[in-house]
Amino acid sequence: MFRRWNNSHHEKDSDEQQEKVTELKAALGPLSGRGLQYCSDACLKRYLEARSWNVDKAKKMLEETLRWRSTYKPEEIRWHEVAVEGETGKVFRANFHDRHGRTVLILRPGKQNTTSIDNQIRHLVYLIENAILNLPEGQEQMAWLIDFTGWSITNNVPIKSAKDTVNVLQNHYPERLAVAFLYSPPRIFEAFWKIVKFFLDPKTFQKVKFVYPKNKDSVELMRSYFDVDNLPTEFGGKATLQYDHEEFSRQMAQDDVKAAKVWGFDKHPNGFTGAEVAPEPETLASPAS
């Protein structure tokens, strides 16, 4: 009896959500080009979820993203444009998923190798888009693993860079982050964190987890997300973490071809004009949204 009620209750929630999606779609008005391709029902749900299902707030947020995407053009970034940022493996897509099948990005701030914040953000945006491109069907979110090996106040991420990163993730990739594990951050990081956490909205803040090797509860929480055999030793697991820049570059070049097909760039080398309607994406991967 309870199960039957629970199912009908879930269906009711689903119906209500779909009504909100329809309402948001109507509020946005006619879309064309990449905007039409970007604003799938799943995308609209993410923006609604990020704004507690308030249609007006979700509409404002989504319109800001569409403006950002029209100028920043994240789907057009190609690996060769940002490859120099990735030479040390400071951010890269892992070759394993978490227990829920989510794509995993590994961030190693101690491996910072450049000084241009704009280029660093562009590199991260490329990899967020790539993580989304490589999500398995039915999965919408990614996980972040942040390794503080080699991190010190001398190679500290500038506050502006941290703020820009948070703004891009929260404002333009809502509900894409499932969890971010900060593994064994040094004590000096605490002062930095006290500033950064003010940039985080409550939902994002709840997704950030600190893990300390000597804290059994935090280690168990992390292992509830990851198979210890896949998890690199840097994160308390058993796997060897090796970043091969040449091999990763080959993977990204292949993914750039895949992204071009998803967005229709293989048919329209110069991209879409504002009036064009994007062709239906091929079923290689869900378009970044």
mmCIF file of all heavy atoms in Angstrom, residues 14-56:
data_model
loop_
_atom_site.group_PDB
_atom_site.id
_atom_site.type_symbol
_atom_site.label_atom_id
_atom_site.label_comp_id
_atom_site.label_asym_id
_atom_site.label_seq_id
_atom_site.Cartn_x
_atom_site.Cartn_y
_atom_site.Cartn_z
ATOM 1 N N SER A 14 6.251 14.419 -10.674
ATOM 2 C CA SER A 14 6.773 14.448 -12.028
ATOM 3 C C SER A 14 5.872 15.275 -12.939
ATOM 4 O O SER A 14 6.357 16.049 -13.766
ATOM 5 C CB SER A 14 6.905 13.022 -12.567
ATOM 6 O OG SER A 14 7.398 13.037 -13.880
ATOM 7 N N ASP A 15 4.558 15.114 -12.782
ATOM 8 C CA ASP A 15 3.604 15.888 -13.570
ATOM 9 C C ASP A 15 3.729 17.372 -13.270
ATOM 10 O O ASP A 15 3.697 18.213 -14.175
ATOM 11 C CB ASP A 15 2.167 15.423 -13.288
ATOM 12 C CG ASP A 15 1.891 14.039 -13.866
ATOM 13 O OD1 ASP A 15 2.672 13.608 -14.737
ATOM 14 O OD2 ASP A 15 0.911 13.409 -13.438
ATOM 15 N N GLU A 16 3.877 17.697 -11.988
ATOM 16 C CA GLU A 16 4.022 19.097 -11.593
ATOM 17 C C GLU A 16 5.306 19.692 -12.160
ATOM 18 O O GLU A 16 5.329 20.846 -12.610
ATOM 19 C CB GLU A 16 4.016 19.213 -10.065
ATOM 20 C CG GLU A 16 2.653 18.947 -9.442
ATOM 21 C CD GLU A 16 2.700 18.945 -7.924
ATOM 22 O OE1 GLU A 16 3.823 19.008 -7.369
ATOM 23 O OE2 GLU A 16 1.631 18.882 -7.297
ATOM 24 N N GLN A 17 6.357 18.895 -12.148
ATOM 25 C CA GLN A 17 7.622 19.368 -12.707
ATOM 26 C C GLN A 17 7.492 19.627 -14.197
ATOM 27 O O GLN A 17 8.002 20.629 -14.705
ATOM 28 C CB GLN A 17 8.724 18.342 -12.433
ATOM 29 C CG GLN A 17 9.146 18.268 -10.974
ATOM 30 C CD GLN A 17 10.235 17.232 -10.745
ATOM 31 O OE1 GLN A 17 10.751 16.642 -11.688
ATOM 32 N NE2 GLN A 17 10.602 17.014 -9.492
ATOM 33 N N GLN A 18 6.806 18.728 -14.886
ATOM 34 C CA GLN A 18 6.643 18.898 -16.326
ATOM 35 C C GLN A 18 5.824 20.150 -16.631
ATOM 36 O O GLN A 18 6.078 20.854 -17.618
ATOM 37 C CB GLN A 18 5.977 17.664 -16.950
ATOM 38 C CG GLN A 18 6.020 17.644 -18.469
ATOM 39 C CD GLN A 18 7.431 17.783 -19.030
ATOM 40 O OE1 GLN A 18 8.357 17.091 -18.598
ATOM 41 N NE2 GLN A 18 7.617 18.692 -19.983
ATOM 42 N N GLU A 19 4.856 20.448 -15.785
ATOM 43 C CA GLU A 19 4.073 21.677 -15.960
ATOM 44 C C GLU A 19 4.968 22.906 -15.847
ATOM 45 O O GLU A 19 4.823 23.875 -16.594
ATOM 46 C CB GLU A 19 2.948 21.739 -14.916
ATOM 47 C CG GLU A 19 1.800 20.790 -15.178
ATOM 48 C CD GLU A 19 0.761 20.820 -14.065
ATOM 49 O OE1 GLU A 19 0.840 21.733 -13.213
ATOM 50 O OE2 GLU A 19 -0.123 19.948 -14.041
ATOM 51 N N LYS A 20 5.890 22.852 -14.875
ATOM 52 C CA LYS A 20 6.827 23.963 -14.695
ATOM 53 C C LYS A 20 7.746 24.101 -15.917
ATOM 54 O O LYS A 20 8.060 25.211 -16.346
ATOM 55 C CB LYS A 20 7.672 23.740 -13.434
ATOM 56 C CG LYS A 20 6.893 23.851 -12.133
ATOM 57 C CD LYS A 20 6.588 25.295 -11.797
ATOM 58 C CE LYS A 20 5.976 25.418 -10.413
ATOM 59 N NZ LYS A 20 5.660 26.826 -10.065
ATOM 60 N N VAL A 21 8.182 22.958 -16.444
ATOM 61 C CA VAL A 21 9.031 22.978 -17.641
ATOM 62 C C VAL A 21 8.276 23.617 -18.795
ATOM 63 O O VAL A 21 8.816 24.470 -19.518
ATOM 64 C CB VAL A 21 9.483 21.542 -18.013
ATOM 65 C CG1 VAL A 21 10.123 21.528 -19.397
ATOM 66 C CG2 VAL A 21 10.457 21.011 -16.972
ATOM 67 N N THR A 22 7.032 23.226 -18.975
ATOM 68 C CA THR A 22 6.204 23.784 -20.045
ATOM 69 C C THR A 22 6.007 25.285 -19.850
ATOM 70 O O THR A 22 6.068 26.063 -20.809
ATOM 71 C CB THR A 22 4.832 23.067 -20.084
ATOM 72 O OG1 THR A 22 5.040 21.666 -20.267
ATOM 73 C CG2 THR A 22 3.976 23.608 -21.223
ATOM 74 N N GLU A 23 5.803 25.664 -18.601
ATOM 75 C CA GLU A 23 5.626 27.088 -18.277
ATOM 76 C C GLU A 23 6.896 27.885 -18.584
ATOM 77 O O GLU A 23 6.837 28.981 -19.145
ATOM 78 C CB GLU A 23 5.258 27.226 -16.794
ATOM 79 C CG GLU A 23 4.823 28.619 -16.380
ATOM 80 C CD GLU A 23 4.454 28.699 -14.897
ATOM 81 O OE1 GLU A 23 4.168 27.636 -14.293
ATOM 82 O OE2 GLU A 23 4.481 29.822 -14.355
ATOM 83 N N LEU A 24 8.040 27.322 -18.221
ATOM 84 C CA LEU A 24 9.313 27.995 -18.474
ATOM 85 C C LEU A 24 9.575 28.102 -19.971
ATOM 86 O O LEU A 24 10.033 29.136 -20.471
ATOM 87 C CB LEU A 24 10.458 27.244 -17.788
ATOM 88 C CG LEU A 24 11.879 27.766 -18.035
ATOM 89 C CD1 LEU A 24 11.998 29.240 -17.659
ATOM 90 C CD2 LEU A 24 12.901 26.938 -17.244
ATOM 91 N N LYS A 25 9.240 27.035 -20.679
ATOM 92 C CA LYS A 25 9.441 27.026 -22.133
ATOM 93 C C LYS A 25 8.618 28.133 -22.783
ATOM 94 O O LYS A 25 9.112 28.851 -23.680
ATOM 95 C CB LYS A 25 9.042 25.650 -22.683
ATOM 96 C CG LYS A 25 9.594 25.338 -24.056
ATOM 97 C CD LYS A 25 9.206 23.942 -24.491
ATOM 98 C CE LYS A 25 9.875 22.866 -23.650
ATOM 99 N NZ LYS A 25 9.606 21.502 -24.148
ATOM 100 N N ALA A 26 7.389 28.286 -22.330
ATOM 101 C CA ALA A 26 6.515 29.330 -22.878
ATOM 102 C C ALA A 26 7.039 30.717 -22.523
ATOM 103 O O ALA A 26 6.997 31.648 -23.340
ATOM 104 C CB ALA A 26 5.100 29.146 -22.351
ATOM 105 N N ALA A 27 7.551 30.854 -21.303
ATOM 106 C CA ALA A 27 8.070 32.149 -20.853
ATOM 107 C C ALA A 27 9.295 32.570 -21.651
ATOM 108 O O ALA A 27 9.512 33.756 -21.907
ATOM 109 C CB ALA A 27 8.399 32.086 -19.359
ATOM 110 N N LEU A 28 10.110 31.603 -22.063
ATOM 111 C CA LEU A 28 11.316 31.904 -22.835
ATOM 112 C C LEU A 28 10.990 32.394 -24.234
ATOM 113 O O LEU A 28 11.734 33.176 -24.819
ATOM 114 C CB LEU A 28 12.208 30.662 -22.927
ATOM 115 C CG LEU A 28 12.958 30.251 -21.671
ATOM 116 C CD1 LEU A 28 13.575 28.867 -21.849
ATOM 117 C CD2 LEU A 28 14.038 31.272 -21.306
ATOM 118 N N GLY A 29 9.876 31.919 -24.772
ATOM 119 C CA GLY A 29 9.504 32.298 -26.118
ATOM 120 C C GLY A 29 10.245 31.477 -27.158
ATOM 121 O O GLY A 29 11.004 30.554 -26.822
ATOM 122 N N PRO A 30 10.055 31.817 -28.440
ATOM 123 C CA PRO A 30 10.689 31.042 -29.516
ATOM 124 C C PRO A 30 12.218 31.077 -29.419
ATOM 125 O O PRO A 30 12.800 32.129 -29.161
ATOM 126 C CB PRO A 30 10.210 31.746 -30.790
ATOM 127 C CG PRO A 30 9.004 32.538 -30.378
ATOM 128 C CD PRO A 30 9.239 32.926 -28.957
ATOM 129 N N LEU A 31 12.836 29.932 -29.601
ATOM 130 C CA LEU A 31 14.290 29.833 -29.594
ATOM 131 C C LEU A 31 14.765 29.303 -30.937
ATOM 132 O O LEU A 31 14.029 28.599 -31.629
ATOM 133 C CB LEU A 31 14.757 28.880 -28.478
ATOM 134 C CG LEU A 31 14.481 29.315 -27.043
ATOM 135 C CD1 LEU A 31 14.751 28.150 -26.086
ATOM 136 C CD2 LEU A 31 15.335 30.518 -26.656
ATOM 137 N N SER A 32 15.987 29.636 -31.298
ATOM 138 C CA SER A 32 16.542 29.137 -32.550
ATOM 139 C C SER A 32 18.020 28.857 -32.365
ATOM 140 O O SER A 32 18.606 29.170 -31.326
ATOM 141 C CB SER A 32 16.341 30.163 -33.677
ATOM 142 O OG SER A 32 17.026 31.367 -33.352
ATOM 143 N N GLY A 33 18.608 28.238 -33.384
ATOM 144 C CA GLY A 33 20.037 27.982 -33.349
ATOM 145 C C GLY A 33 20.459 27.146 -32.166
ATOM 146 O O GLY A 33 19.766 26.224 -31.734
ATOM 147 N N ARG A 34 21.598 27.511 -31.611
ATOM 148 C CA ARG A 34 22.143 26.734 -30.487
ATOM 149 C C ARG A 34 21.273 26.857 -29.241
ATOM 150 O O ARG A 34 21.229 25.953 -28.414
ATOM 151 C CB ARG A 34 23.561 27.195 -30.182
ATOM 152 C CG ARG A 34 24.517 26.968 -31.340
ATOM 153 C CD ARG A 34 25.904 27.433 -30.992
ATOM 154 N NE ARG A 34 26.625 27.831 -32.207
ATOM 155 C CZ ARG A 34 27.859 28.267 -32.223
ATOM 156 N NH1 ARG A 34 28.544 28.371 -31.109
ATOM 157 N NH2 ARG A 34 28.434 28.607 -33.356
ATOM 158 N N GLY A 35 20.606 27.995 -29.102
ATOM 159 C CA GLY A 35 19.726 28.167 -27.942
ATOM 160 C C GLY A 35 18.633 27.116 -27.905
ATOM 161 O O GLY A 35 18.298 26.579 -26.851
ATOM 162 N N LEU A 36 18.095 26.804 -29.076
ATOM 163 C CA LEU A 36 17.053 25.768 -29.163
ATOM 164 C C LEU A 36 17.621 24.410 -28.794
ATOM 165 O O LEU A 36 16.992 23.634 -28.058
ATOM 166 C CB LEU A 36 16.485 25.744 -30.585
ATOM 167 C CG LEU A 36 15.407 24.688 -30.868
ATOM 168 C CD1 LEU A 36 14.170 24.941 -30.027
ATOM 169 C CD2 LEU A 36 15.043 24.689 -32.355
ATOM 170 N N GLN A 37 18.814 24.112 -29.280
ATOM 171 C CA GLN A 37 19.440 22.826 -28.990
ATOM 172 C C GLN A 37 19.815 22.720 -27.514
ATOM 173 O O GLN A 37 19.687 21.663 -26.897
ATOM 174 C CB GLN A 37 20.686 22.637 -29.856
ATOM 175 C CG GLN A 37 21.328 21.263 -29.701
ATOM 176 C CD GLN A 37 22.473 21.043 -30.669
ATOM 177 O OE1 GLN A 37 22.721 21.864 -31.541
ATOM 178 N NE2 GLN A 37 23.157 19.932 -30.524
ATOM 179 N N TYR A 38 20.258 23.823 -26.948
ATOM 180 C CA TYR A 38 20.686 23.828 -25.548
ATOM 181 C C TYR A 38 19.517 23.617 -24.591
ATOM 182 O O TYR A 38 19.637 22.905 -23.590
ATOM 183 C CB TYR A 38 21.381 25.163 -25.248
ATOM 184 C CG TYR A 38 21.882 25.296 -23.837
ATOM 185 C CD1 TYR A 38 23.063 24.685 -23.442
ATOM 186 C CD2 TYR A 38 21.181 26.038 -22.893
ATOM 187 C CE1 TYR A 38 23.537 24.803 -22.140
ATOM 188 C CE2 TYR A 38 21.636 26.160 -21.592
ATOM 189 C CZ TYR A 38 22.824 25.545 -21.230
ATOM 190 O OH TYR A 38 23.270 25.664 -19.935
ATOM 191 N N CYS A 39 18.394 24.243 -24.895
ATOM 192 C CA CYS A 39 17.268 24.269 -23.948
ATOM 193 C C CYS A 39 16.369 23.040 -24.070
ATOM 194 O O CYS A 39 15.168 23.137 -24.372
ATOM 195 C CB CYS A 39 16.457 25.543 -24.143
ATOM 196 S SG CYS A 39 17.351 27.038 -23.660
ATOM 197 N N SER A 40 16.946 21.898 -23.819
ATOM 198 C CA SER A 40 16.165 20.660 -23.761
ATOM 199 C C SER A 40 15.332 20.657 -22.482
ATOM 200 O O SER A 40 15.542 21.473 -21.577
ATOM 201 C CB SER A 40 17.103 19.452 -23.760
ATOM 202 O OG SER A 40 17.915 19.486 -22.593
ATOM 203 N N ASP A 41 14.398 19.726 -22.384
ATOM 204 C CA ASP A 41 13.603 19.623 -21.160
ATOM 205 C C ASP A 41 14.489 19.349 -19.948
ATOM 206 O O ASP A 41 14.268 19.894 -18.868
ATOM 207 C CB ASP A 41 12.557 18.511 -21.299
ATOM 208 C CG ASP A 41 11.350 18.951 -22.131
ATOM 209 O OD1 ASP A 41 11.411 20.060 -22.727
ATOM 210 O OD2 ASP A 41 10.358 18.205 -22.179
ATOM 211 N N ALA A 42 15.513 18.507 -20.144
ATOM 212 C CA ALA A 42 16.425 18.192 -19.037
ATOM 213 C C ALA A 42 17.159 19.447 -18.576
ATOM 214 O O ALA A 42 17.368 19.666 -17.378
ATOM 215 C CB ALA A 42 17.419 17.116 -19.463
ATOM 216 N N CYS A 43 17.542 20.277 -19.534
ATOM 217 C CA CYS A 43 18.214 21.537 -19.216
ATOM 218 C C CYS A 43 17.286 22.443 -18.417
ATOM 219 O O CYS A 43 17.682 23.006 -17.389
ATOM 220 C CB CYS A 43 18.644 22.220 -20.512
ATOM 221 S SG CYS A 43 19.252 23.906 -20.298
ATOM 222 N N LEU A 44 16.050 22.598 -18.877
ATOM 223 C CA LEU A 44 15.102 23.468 -18.178
ATOM 224 C C LEU A 44 14.865 22.974 -16.758
ATOM 225 O O LEU A 44 14.745 23.776 -15.822
ATOM 226 C CB LEU A 44 13.773 23.527 -18.943
ATOM 227 C CG LEU A 44 13.829 24.059 -20.379
ATOM 228 C CD1 LEU A 44 12.431 24.253 -20.940
ATOM 229 C CD2 LEU A 44 14.598 25.370 -20.466
ATOM 230 N N LYS A 45 14.820 21.663 -16.579
ATOM 231 C CA LYS A 45 14.642 21.108 -15.235
ATOM 232 C C LYS A 45 15.798 21.479 -14.317
ATOM 233 O O LYS A 45 15.607 21.755 -13.131
ATOM 234 C CB LYS A 45 14.498 19.575 -15.305
ATOM 235 C CG LYS A 45 13.140 19.100 -15.771
ATOM 236 C CD LYS A 45 13.069 17.578 -15.778
ATOM 237 C CE LYS A 45 11.718 17.093 -16.282
ATOM 238 N NZ LYS A 45 11.656 15.614 -16.335
ATOM 239 N N ARG A 46 17.007 21.475 -14.854
ATOM 240 C CA ARG A 46 18.167 21.820 -14.031
ATOM 241 C C ARG A 46 18.100 23.268 -13.554
ATOM 242 O O ARG A 46 18.412 23.572 -12.403
ATOM 243 C CB ARG A 46 19.468 21.571 -14.803
ATOM 244 C CG ARG A 46 19.850 20.118 -14.909
ATOM 245 C CD ARG A 46 21.280 19.960 -15.402
ATOM 246 N NE ARG A 46 21.464 20.497 -16.739
ATOM 247 C CZ ARG A 46 21.197 19.831 -17.844
ATOM 248 N NH1 ARG A 46 20.728 18.596 -17.788
ATOM 249 N NH2 ARG A 46 21.405 20.385 -19.026
ATOM 250 N N TYR A 47 17.693 24.151 -14.444
ATOM 251 C CA TYR A 47 17.589 25.566 -14.061
ATOM 252 C C TYR A 47 16.448 25.785 -13.074
ATOM 253 O O TYR A 47 16.563 26.602 -12.147
ATOM 254 C CB TYR A 47 17.431 26.446 -15.305
ATOM 255 C CG TYR A 47 18.750 26.678 -16.001
ATOM 256 C CD1 TYR A 47 19.299 25.721 -16.843
ATOM 257 C CD2 TYR A 47 19.479 27.848 -15.788
ATOM 258 C CE1 TYR A 47 20.531 25.911 -17.469
ATOM 259 C CE2 TYR A 47 20.709 28.048 -16.401
ATOM 260 C CZ TYR A 47 21.229 27.073 -17.240
ATOM 261 O OH TYR A 47 22.449 27.266 -17.836
ATOM 262 N N LEU A 48 15.369 25.072 -13.261
ATOM 263 C CA LEU A 48 14.251 25.161 -12.314
ATOM 264 C C LEU A 48 14.664 24.623 -10.948
ATOM 265 O O LEU A 48 14.361 25.216 -9.909
ATOM 266 C CB LEU A 48 13.048 24.388 -12.857
ATOM 267 C CG LEU A 48 12.274 25.083 -13.977
ATOM 268 C CD1 LEU A 48 11.408 24.086 -14.735
ATOM 269 C CD2 LEU A 48 11.409 26.220 -13.411
ATOM 270 N N GLU A 49 15.360 23.501 -10.954
ATOM 271 C CA GLU A 49 15.837 22.915 -9.700
ATOM 272 C C GLU A 49 16.763 23.887 -8.972
ATOM 273 O O GLU A 49 16.698 24.054 -7.750
ATOM 274 C CB GLU A 49 16.573 21.611 -10.003
ATOM 275 C CG GLU A 49 17.180 20.922 -8.789
ATOM 276 C CD GLU A 49 16.147 20.316 -7.867
ATOM 277 O OE1 GLU A 49 15.072 19.905 -8.347
ATOM 278 O OE2 GLU A 49 16.402 20.265 -6.636
ATOM 279 N N ALA A 50 17.632 24.539 -9.737
ATOM 280 C CA ALA A 50 18.593 25.476 -9.147
ATOM 281 C C ALA A 50 17.903 26.685 -8.525
ATOM 282 O O ALA A 50 18.461 27.335 -7.631
ATOM 283 C CB ALA A 50 19.588 25.942 -10.195
ATOM 284 N N ARG A 51 16.719 26.987 -8.997
ATOM 285 C CA ARG A 51 15.962 28.133 -8.481
ATOM 286 C C ARG A 51 14.681 27.697 -7.775
ATOM 287 O O ARG A 51 13.676 28.404 -7.771
ATOM 288 C CB ARG A 51 15.655 29.111 -9.631
ATOM 289 C CG ARG A 51 16.891 29.841 -10.162
ATOM 290 C CD ARG A 51 17.487 30.743 -9.084
ATOM 291 N NE ARG A 51 18.696 31.440 -9.512
ATOM 292 C CZ ARG A 51 19.931 31.036 -9.206
ATOM 293 N NH1 ARG A 51 20.104 29.912 -8.527
ATOM 294 N NH2 ARG A 51 20.981 31.726 -9.592
ATOM 295 N N SER A 52 14.758 26.525 -7.161
ATOM 296 C CA SER A 52 13.653 25.994 -6.339
ATOM 297 C C SER A 52 12.319 26.006 -7.081
ATOM 298 O O SER A 52 11.273 26.281 -6.499
ATOM 299 C CB SER A 52 13.547 26.782 -5.027
ATOM 300 O OG SER A 52 14.762 26.716 -4.313
ATOM 301 N N TRP A 53 12.373 25.729 -8.365
ATOM 302 C CA TRP A 53 11.206 25.603 -9.233
ATOM 303 C C TRP A 53 10.408 26.904 -9.364
ATOM 304 O O TRP A 53 9.211 26.892 -9.636
ATOM 305 C CB TRP A 53 10.315 24.439 -8.789
ATOM 306 C CG TRP A 53 11.046 23.147 -8.951
ATOM 307 C CD1 TRP A 53 11.855 22.544 -8.025
ATOM 308 C CD2 TRP A 53 11.127 22.333 -10.118
ATOM 309 N NE1 TRP A 53 12.437 21.411 -8.549
ATOM 310 C CE2 TRP A 53 12.000 21.249 -9.830
ATOM 311 C CE3 TRP A 53 10.529 22.409 -11.388
ATOM 312 C CZ2 TRP A 53 12.294 20.269 -10.768
ATOM 313 C CZ3 TRP A 53 10.829 21.418 -12.314
ATOM 314 C CH2 TRP A 53 11.699 20.368 -11.987
ATOM 315 N N ASN A 54 11.089 28.016 -9.179
ATOM 316 C CA ASN A 54 10.494 29.326 -9.431
ATOM 317 C C ASN A 54 10.740 29.681 -10.901
ATOM 318 O O ASN A 54 11.878 29.874 -11.310
ATOM 319 C CB ASN A 54 11.126 30.376 -8.512
ATOM 320 C CG ASN A 54 10.529 31.765 -8.698
ATOM 321 O OD1 ASN A 54 10.564 32.325 -9.778
ATOM 322 N ND2 ASN A 54 9.990 32.319 -7.626
ATOM 323 N N VAL A 55 9.676 29.731 -11.680
ATOM 324 C CA VAL A 55 9.805 29.895 -13.129
ATOM 325 C C VAL A 55 10.464 31.227 -13.486
ATOM 326 O O VAL A 55 11.344 31.282 -14.359
ATOM 327 C CB VAL A 55 8.426 29.762 -13.816
ATOM 328 C CG1 VAL A 55 8.529 30.111 -15.305
ATOM 329 C CG2 VAL A 55 7.889 28.346 -13.652
ATOM 330 N N ASP A 56 10.066 32.305 -12.837
ATOM 331 C CA ASP A 56 10.635 33.618 -13.164
ATOM 332 C C ASP A 56 12.137 33.661 -12.895
ATOM 333 O O ASP A 56 12.914 34.183 -13.704
ATOM 334 C CB ASP A 56 9.932 34.718 -12.352
ATOM 335 C CG ASP A 56 8.502 34.952 -12.815
ATOM 336 O OD1 ASP A 56 8.186 34.588 -13.968
ATOM 337 O OD2 ASP A 56 7.698 35.492 -12.031
#
